[in-house]
Amino acid sequence: MIHLNWHERPTIKIVVCNHTNAEKYIVHNVLTPGKEYEVKNETDDFYFIIDNRGKVGGYYKHYFTEKAV
């Protein structure tokens, strides 16, 4: 039941949004190109981040690049 405490979970990594050119879904409302986002969970295809709405959402990894530490 990981979804009950998304905001309290530690940040896994920081990613930077590259683009919001989605073929299938509308993401330009909730992601900003060039902005950094905290990754709260990760799967093979998705990053779960706190988006511009302040909520956790799952987005395809191809929208992002990992920020160098």
Side-chain angles (χ1 to χ4, degrees):
M1 304 217 324
I2 193 173
H3 67 282
L4 296 177
N5 62 355
W6 283 114
H7 291 280
E8 293 81 32
R9 294 185 59 80
T11 299
I12 297 172
K13 62 178 101 175
I14 302 292
V15 293
V16 179
C17 181
N18 294 332
H19 65 84
T20 57
N21 301 328
E23 296 175 14
K24 201 172 187 182
Y25 304 102
I26 298 173
V27 296
H28 67 273
N29 306 8
V30 292
L31 297 176
T32 304
K35 185 174 178 183
E36 297 179 355
Y37 295 95
E38 297 179 1
V39 177
K40 296 299 184 175
N41 195 20
E42 179 179 4
T43 64
D44 289 340
D45 297 326
F46 297 97
Y47 286 131
F48 291 87
I49 64 165
I50 298 176
D51 59 23
N52 294 349
R53 301 172 300 163
K55 298 181 180 179
V56 174
Y59 301 96
Y60 284 115
K61 288 184 173 182
H62 66 82
Y63 298 125
F64 305 96
T65 55
E66 291 185 25
K67 182 177 177 183
V69 178

